[in-house]
Structures are given as C-alpha cells and as structure tokens.
Amino acid sequence: MALLHGSDRARPKPGVLCKILGSQAVLLELESETYFGLNETGTRLWALLMTAPSIREAVDTMLSEYDVAPAELERDAAALIDELIDRGLLRVERA
Amino acid sequence: MTEPWTDERVARTVLGRLASAGAGDEVRGAPPGFSVEDRAGLAAWLIGHDLAGLGFRVAREADPPLADLLAGAALGAAAGNLSHFETLSRIEERLAKERIPFVLLKGAAIAGSAYRESSDRSMSDIDLWVRPEDMPGAVAVARDAGLRQVAGLPDRPPELQRHSGGELVFRHLRRDHGIVELHYSAFQGWWVRRAAEADAESLWERSVPMGPGRHARRLSPEDAILHTAFHLVVNQLRQAPLRGLMDLGVLSRAYRIDWEAVADRARAWRLATAVWTALETADRLVGLPGCAPALARLRPGAPRRAALRGLVPRRALLAGRDVPARVRRHLLMLALVDRPRDVARLVGRTLWPEPWWLDARYGRRVSRFGHLFGLMRRGEV
C-alpha cells in the first residue's frame, strides 16, 4: 500500500516488452522469456502507470473511471503492482 | 486435430472473414457460421492452425466467449512475436550500420506489413535474405547481436546451403524465440533449381522498404504472393499450411494485386503449376478476390488437376493432416513441375548429381554410385 502514496513512479524493468491486444495485454520479460497476461483492468492500470507522473495519480485516474470502492481498487492495484515487481516486470522509481 | 465443420463452404466463410479482418476490414458482428455450437472445437482448431491471434482479435468483437477460449494462445503468440521483433530490431540496426541491405521474407515481412496487427500472425522465426557477397558480414552482425549459429542438418551442410540458396540458422543462447535465418536466396532448395527458373534477382530489384525510415525491405505485393505460394507448395503444404493460405488471403485483400503480373512471372519462371496449386487451394479455402483470370492462365491440364486434387486434399488441410506418405510427397513434387523435360532433369540430377554437388553435400570425395546407394539404403528412392 505504501506504493500508492507519495510521488513514486512505476516503470517497466529493462528488457520488458508490452503488447496490447484490445482490452488485454501481454508483458514479456525477454531474458527469461516469461510472459504475463493482463486482463482489462490490469491493462488499463499498466497503461496509466506508464504515462502518469506517479503511481498515486495513476490509481486516482482509475478511481475516476471505475465505479468501485476506493479501498478495494487500491488493494487490487497494490496487489497487481507487487506481483509485477515480484515477476521482474516492473520497478519503482522513488521520487 | 479435426475441423469443427462438416461443410467446406462454412470453413471458407470463416477463413475469408478472418482474412478480411487481417487485412484491416472492420469487424461487424459474427459472420454466418462463425458462432458455432462447439466453440471449444473451433478454438482448438484455430489454435492448432496457428490462427489464434487473428481469431482472437475477430472474436473479441464477434463472439466474446470464443475470444476467452483463444486468449491464452493469442497472448502467448503475441509474446513470441514480441521476442522475434525485438531480435529483428537489433539485427536491423546493426545491418544498417554496416550498410548491408536485406529483404525480410515470409512471416515477419507479412505480419509487419499486410496484416493490420502484427500480433494477428504468429511466426516461428525471422527470415532475412542477404546477397551472397554480404553473407559473411551478416553472419558477423548476427553474432554481434548475441546469436549463435546452429549446426545444420547432416544432409544440409553450409556449402550445400550456399549452392541451393538455403539458409544459415542462428538463435539466442537461452531464448527459444528470436531465431534468425539468413537466406542466400528467396528461392531455396534443389527442386526450384532443377525444375524451374525463378528470377530471384528481379524480386530483389522490386523489393520496397518495410516502412518509413526502415532499413529492412520486403517483397512487392505480387512477389510476396508468388513467394508465399512457392514456399507453401515446396513444403508440400505442411508446416502450418492454413496460416500460409491465410497469408495469401490477407495479401490479396491488403493490396491491389496485379494478378496479370503474378501469372506472367509464374509462367516465365516455370512455376505455373506450383503457383496455381497454392492459389487455387487458397481461393477455395480463404478466397482470393480478383485472382480468377490469373488462375485461368496458370491452370494445368485436366489430368494433372485431377492428380493434384488427390495429392493435395483440401479436407486434410482443414483437418490439419499432412500429405501422408513420403512417396506421395515425392509424387506431388513431380506433379508440380511445369515441363516434362524438367521432370527428367529433376529426377536425373537427384539420383546422379554433378561432382561439385557431391563435394558440397558430403565434404569429401563420394562417387555417384555411392550417393545412389546411400539414397537407396535410406529408402529415399
């Protein structure tokens, strides 16, 4: 949850490629050739993370787009971000 | 794998719709025959024919439950393409720096130009055609890009590959994708050298840039049709034949094809029967708009058409079954030769090759009798 506060930014790890297929996406880590599929909301979050000035602002934009309780969305977003970090697909740049 | 329909016309409707979408047509609702009851069967069939990516994109609009069944395979194929294109990008950058021209062939070229989305078309490797005099430089570039050359098959040593217009294969040390093949020619193999006279040089001259600012070139649309057709039949319509036939369907829809030029070149290169076989099969299974006059000009006589129908059964292609026996495949390759005297030359030189061919093939002095005996011992005669 700490990731969702402050002005930390998320960026793909070097060697990670993304292909968006409609509302879904696939992330590929080149070195290990492992790939990870994202569903519609995961794809939207990934797209926002790549463009928003911070993780917090990406999540705020998600909150404005989805009719969902803030706590629930923040919990799911944090879980996905953690998983992407664990899988070597995402890194966080401290502000 | 079996086809999920009982009627070839339904298959044509579905495949034609996929080809139109592949070429960039808007997907509007489900086509007749697309939403079949057995979605799992249809999904398995599309995946088995390496058409999951294209099927997934169309199904997202036309049949979401089918898209769900295809999603895993489509995402996997897209990931594979990402890896291939990343390798291509690194090789292309280095080839540009070394001023080595090349023409991208087959899947990577067609996926990156004719298909609306490159992820529509899966690929198993990247095929680059370089001039023979540039091959040493291209090999150095591939190694510099972190690729290692793969030892060829015992019956295809590098020297023989050079003579046959074949390829050198490179791959990453650890990655499964990003395999690169450096081709000496667009037309590879002994069949085309013995039985036809394909003018690869003219293909090179007509090639066009892949896109603005790109160093890579691709074949002109007409030549891409000819090359795809040739490649399909010279591989006896094995190795994902429906994907190759789909390529023909997409190319014919994505570009304004000069079918007269296609027929002229196929006839001049003595590839009329081979090209007709591929185009006629594609027209029946996928639909090739506007190709009828070319088919009429390339059509072989009735006896040969009957033989080819037996040797290239469309139901077997739809069901994903190869042309079965080796003998039948040999018969197909003979039936595809335009001129009877080229059949004699093909058979004669296969059994009794030139001394330089024997040197290149075996890397040591082997007599023609020794070669013939080897063929017989391996059951290849």
Side-chain angles (χ1 to χ4, degrees):
Chain A
M1 281 302 200
L3 289 173
L4 304 184
H5 299 289
S7 50
D8 292 348
R9 296 177 63 179
R11 287 289 171 266
K13 286 273 283 275
V16 171
L17 303 175
C18 174
K19 176 74 180 177
I20 293 178
L21 305 169
S23 59
Q24 299 184 52
V26 60
L27 304 175
L28 173 71
E29 204 282 306
L30 276 171
E31 191 61 27
S32 63
E33 271 201 328
T34 52
Y35 68 91
F36 187 77
L38 294 173
N39 64 12
E40 183 175 348
T41 46
T43 301
R44 181 62 185 144
L45 178 61
W46 176 271
L48 289 169
L49 287 173
M50 296 304 106
T51 52
S54 68
I55 297 173
R56 178 72 258 170
E57 287 180 60
V59 174
D60 285 345
T61 305
M62 289 279 287
L63 279 170
S64 69
E65 294 176 354
Y66 290 83
D67 183 18
V68 62
E72 188 181 339
L73 191 142
E74 286 186 6
R75 187 184 63 235
D76 290 349
L80 178 58
I81 290 168
D82 281 343
E83 184 170 6
L84 294 173
I85 291 170
D86 287 346
R87 289 176 180 269
L89 299 167
L90 196 69
R91 64 191 165 93
V92 173
E93 293 176 353
R94 302 286 172 194
Chain B
M1 182 181 17
T2 54
E3 71 273 40
W5 28 65
T6 53
D7 189 334
E8 192 176 292
R9 283 173 305 177
V10 177
R12 188 181 195 273
T13 305
V14 172
L15 292 171
R17 180 59 179 270
L18 290 176
S20 296
D25 285 358
E26 196 84 15
V27 178
R28 291 189 204 90
F34 195 85
S35 293
V36 295
E37 288 301 313
D38 181 14
R39 283 200 180 88
L42 178 56
W45 183 83
L46 288 167
I47 292 167
H49 281 289
D50 276 341
L51 295 172
L54 182 54
F56 175 65
R57 184 162 68 76
V58 174
R60 281 201 321 255
E61 303 293 329
D63 191 332
L66 177 63
D68 290 343
L69 294 170
L70 293 170
L75 292 178
N81 279 14
L82 278 176
S83 185
H84 285 305
F85 279 124
E86 188 272 343
T87 300
L88 171 61
S89 167
R90 280 192 289 132
I91 296 262
E92 184 173 349
E93 187 183 338
R94 285 171 169 80
L95 288 171
K97 197 172 162 192
E98 297 296 324
R99 297 177 188 276
I100 297 175
F102 74 96
V103 176
L104 204 52
L105 299 173
K106 301 196 278 189
I110 297 173
S113 57
Y115 282 84
R116 196 187 85 177
E117 298 281 344
S118 61
S119 54
D120 285 349
R121 205 287 192 185
S122 67
M123 60 183 100
S124 48
D125 54 28
I126 301 161
D127 299 278
L128 278 66
W129 173 23
V130 299
R131 301 263 196 194
E133 62 269 26
D134 285 329
M135 188 58 91
V139 167
V141 160
R143 289 184 175 144
D144 183 51
L147 302 171
R148 294 292 174 269
Q149 190 170 349
V150 178
L153 295 170
D155 63 345
R156 294 182 188 177
E159 185 61 10
L160 197 63
Q161 290 290 71
R162 188 171 68 82
H163 284 298
S164 71
E167 76 278 346
L168 305 178
V169 182
F170 294 80
R171 64 183 310 155
H172 291 274
L173 284 175
R174 288 189 296 276
R175 284 160 54 182
D176 287 334
H177 293 90
I179 297 169
V180 171
E181 292 188 356
L182 298 177
H183 292 256
Y184 283 101
S185 172
F187 294 106
Q188 67 183 94
W190 293 103
W191 182 87
V192 71
R193 271 158 183 72
R194 308 287 201 211
E197 199 166 15
D199 182 6
E201 189 57 32
S202 67
L203 263 72
W204 186 284
E205 287 165 5
R206 285 190 294 269
S207 66
V208 296
M210 273 296 288
R214 291 284 301 268
H215 180 63
R217 301 179 71 80
R218 61 175 168 83
L219 299 178
S220 71
E222 288 76 18
D223 287 336
I225 292 263
L226 286 159
H227 186 258
T228 304
F230 162 79
H231 191 255
L232 269 168
V233 293
V234 90
N235 284 304
Q236 298 115 27
L237 289 106
R238 294 184 294 168
Q239 302 174 5
L242 232 51
R243 188 180 63 180
L245 296 170
M246 182 62 68
D247 287 346
L248 291 172
V250 171
L251 282 164
S252 69
R253 288 164 172 83
Y255 301 106
R256 196 184 187 89
I257 300 293
D258 180 351
W259 289 103
E260 285 298 308
V262 170
D264 287 345
R265 289 170 205 168
R267 287 169 61 128
W269 299 343
R270 304 206 299 276
L271 288 174
T273 308
V275 170
W276 177 85
T277 301
L279 296 187
E280 205 260 349
T281 307
D283 190 39
R284 286 187 181 272
L285 295 184
V286 186
L288 302 181
C291 80
L295 282 179
R297 287 185 57 204
L298 297 172
R299 186 167 52 221
R304 198 197 299 241
R305 289 205 306 276
L308 287 167
R309 264 197 299 276
L311 291 165
V312 185
R314 290 193 296 274
R315 292 304 303 233
L317 289 176
L318 285 173
R321 293 195 298 271
D322 282 346
V323 175
R326 177 187 279 173
V327 171
R328 203 162 166 178
R329 293 203 292 269
H330 285 318
L331 286 175
L332 171 60
M333 297 317 292
L334 293 176
L336 292 171
V337 179
D338 279 3
R339 297 192 312 196
R341 67 172 180 269
D342 289 330
V343 174
R345 187 159 64 124
L346 177 65
V347 174
R349 284 305 184 192
T350 301
L351 301 176
W352 202 250
E354 303 91 337
W356 59 262
W357 190 97
L358 291 166
D359 290 346
R361 163 66 181 83
Y362 296 102
R364 58 190 163 83
R365 185 65 62 189
V366 169
S367 72
R368 287 163 163 164
F369 280 113
H371 166 73
L372 186 57
F373 180 69
L375 289 179
M376 292 167 71
R377 197 182 52 202
R378 293 193 297 275
E380 293 175 14
V381 175

